[in-house]
Amino acid sequence: MVKYKKLRFYIIKPSKYDDDGYVIRYWKGVLPNNTLACLYALTKDVKERGILGEDLKWEITLIDDTVQRPPYGKIMRHARDKDAKTLVCLAGVQSNQFPRAEDIALKLRAAGADVLIGGFHVSGVMATLPELSPELQRLQDAGVILVAGEGEGGHWEMLLHDALNDNLRPVYNFLGDLPDLSDAPIPEVPPGTMKHYALSHYGTLDCGRGCPFGCSFCTVINVQGRKMRYRNVDKILARIRENFHKYGITNYFFTDDNFCRNKNWEAIMDGLIEMREKENIKIHYLMQIDTQSHKVPMFVKKAARSGCQSVFIGMESLNEENLISVQKTQNKTSEFRELVDVFHSVGIVTHLSYIIGFPFDTVESVKKDVDRLVSFGSGQTSFFMMTPLPGAVDYKTALEKKMLRDADLNNYDTFHETHRHARMNPGEWLKAYEDAWHR
């Protein structure tokens, strides 16, 4: 049993500030946030199972700060209600979103609301460092609850139970208890959400988590682990059918960091093929994969037949020395053109991810590599500046070597120079990055 009979629960995905200090907010978004969908499904599951009391009254509000203004006044009024528990969760907070999340947290905490904060920044710091970083310590000192790790596996109901008994701990660290996802609730978009997005037929879904590789710039392997974990295939397909019939969602971004390493990739694709060919449910999707995916037997052919339209591939660099230095030795630059050609041959567009600012990059080498990249004929490419993010081995190394020169986490968005580069002067690196986009 719990102390309160009513829970007002606000789950907020923070935006970030632009370079002039304004909150980035759009009239319409592109994709609903998958973290919000995960936490809504977990919350709904706890509610429906009645484990916090059959008579507990729930008010669940999801807010995507990039397309909605947080209702501060309403939350503050609710926080003064002694007969109900008001709980705020700042969810999925990345490092570049942390300053915005901190401002929201301190504002609502000062009004008396219980505030939780989780996501890759909190988890990354706690996975990488032996003690809390100054910004996390600041929030803890203000009474904000720090949550590291994932909400599945009973973690979410534990947090809600403690909140409803006024018994929240200062820190919840679930990083050492990576949950089994096979029976976890499937991410669900709550009613009314899609009106905030321009593409109302587009959804997100993580079919699995983790990545088996060991890239030193990657936060996923230290936060979600190198051991792959998978959702139940039947539940995934059931959610896709439900979303189609209830909300008209026909397109997906499968947010798995490496879909081709999901042991259930073929069963999921076979299910989508059956929907398309026998039920006339024409699902399309984008997925993230590695550079060896085209060698997985039947993967490319089944991807095309099951409705895959685009693949986001972590190519990252055409410099072999760079790839060795960041432990991405699974990438073979001699195979990259074949990789692009194989997917294009079945009508799937390749979208290449390319990082500028690895250790062996220079202004001239970046120009040559980008010219070579263009020659591959990929459908799209996105460029990023190498950024040591909490949770990555490179972050810990940068701290130890005192390489970081930017204390503003708002700039840790892969679009800013955050540390000194050994072979490019300040400003040269940014120009090389911008020139790559122009090219």
Side-chain angles (χ1 to χ4, degrees), residues 215-218 325-327 358 386-389 391-399 403-404:
C215 310
S216 65
F217 59 86
C218 179
S325 72
V326 297
Q327 299 175 47
F358 279 141
M386 173 55 200
T387 306
L389 293 171
V393 172
D394 286 345
Y395 173 71
K396 187 176 181 180
T397 301
L399 282 178
M403 292 169 56
L404 299 180

Side-chain angles (χ1 to χ4, degrees), residues 377-392:
S378 178
Q380 296 172 307
T381 300
S382 287
F383 295 100
F384 306 92
M385 297 183 75
M386 173 55 200
T387 306
L389 293 171

Side-chain angles (χ1 to χ4, degrees), residues 161-301:
H161 179 274
D162 289 355
L164 285 163
N165 282 298
D166 290 332
N167 195 33
L168 283 166
R169 291 180 255 154
V171 177
Y172 290 84
N173 187 344
F174 302 127
L175 290 169
D177 183 23
L178 294 175
D180 179 6
L181 300 177
S182 59
D183 291 321
I186 301 297
E188 180 176 354
V189 176
T193 295
M194 298 310 296
K195 68 182 180 182
H196 297 293
Y197 300 91
L199 303 177
S200 60
H201 63 290
Y202 223 123
T204 59
L205 183 61
D206 61 326
C207 302
R209 293 180 194 157
C211 181
F213 298 114
C215 310
S216 65
F217 59 86
C218 179
T219 61
V220 170
I221 57 176
N222 294 312
V223 173
Q224 295 185 338
R226 294 179 68 176
K227 179 182 177 182
M228 300 290 292
R229 292 165 292 130
Y230 320 99
R231 293 192 184 276
N232 180 283
V233 175
D234 291 337
K235 288 184 177 181
I236 291 171
L237 297 174
R239 173 68 73 220
I240 290 173
R241 282 191 180 89
E242 180 184 7
N243 286 346
F244 174 78
H245 291 297
K246 187 180 289 188
Y247 304 117
I249 295 176
T250 57
N251 289 61
Y252 285 87
F253 171 29
F254 291 150
T255 64
D256 304 43
D257 286 276
N258 200 340
F259 190 86
C260 69
R261 303 303 161 184
N262 185 321
K263 71 174 184 179
N264 297 325
W265 69 262
E266 190 165 21
I268 294 170
M269 287 185 184
D270 285 342
L272 294 173
I273 290 170
E274 183 172 339
M275 283 188 207
R276 294 174 62 83
E277 298 180 358
K278 295 183 179 180
E279 303 173 48
N280 201 34
I281 299 177
K282 305 296 185 183
I283 299 298
H284 299 280
Y285 63 94
L286 154 69
M287 61 179 168
Q288 300 181 112
I289 55 175
D290 64 56
T291 59
Q292 299 301 300
S293 54
H294 64 302
K295 297 181 179 180
V296 177
M298 296 302 295
F299 183 81
V300 175
K301 289 183 178 179

